[in-house]
Amino acid sequence: MTQATTTSPTSPQARAERLKRLRNLANLCRKDLCEGSKINLNTLIGWEDARHGGLSRIGAERVIERVAK
């Protein structure tokens, strides 16, 4: 019997998936999301790849602010 691996909703991987989904729903490419915001393109790529702990709270606030424009 195989057991499905579950990912915590607060894990860096789960936050990365939600970030990618949000960006796609907003119909923004990475470059467009970063333009006009305080988000560096390489930082966004790191968040979407769940590197270095993934998306931070401040980063999430910046993404939400940009998507809400």
Side-chain angles (χ1 to χ4, degrees), residues 7-43:
T7 304
S8 167
T10 58
S11 73
Q13 293 81 10
R15 291 191 311 265
E17 288 303 315
R18 287 193 301 272
L19 173 58
K20 286 185 259 187
R21 200 171 325 130
L22 174 64
R23 183 175 56 78
N24 288 324
L25 286 170
N27 200 28
L28 294 170
C29 69
R30 287 175 170 169
K31 183 180 175 187
D32 290 341
L33 179 68
C34 293
E35 286 180 0
S37 70
K38 297 177 184 176
I39 302 169
N40 177 282
L41 180 59
N42 289 323
T43 300

Side-chain angles (χ1 to χ4, degrees), residues 3 20 46-47 68:
Q3 184 177 2
K20 286 185 259 187
W47 290 340

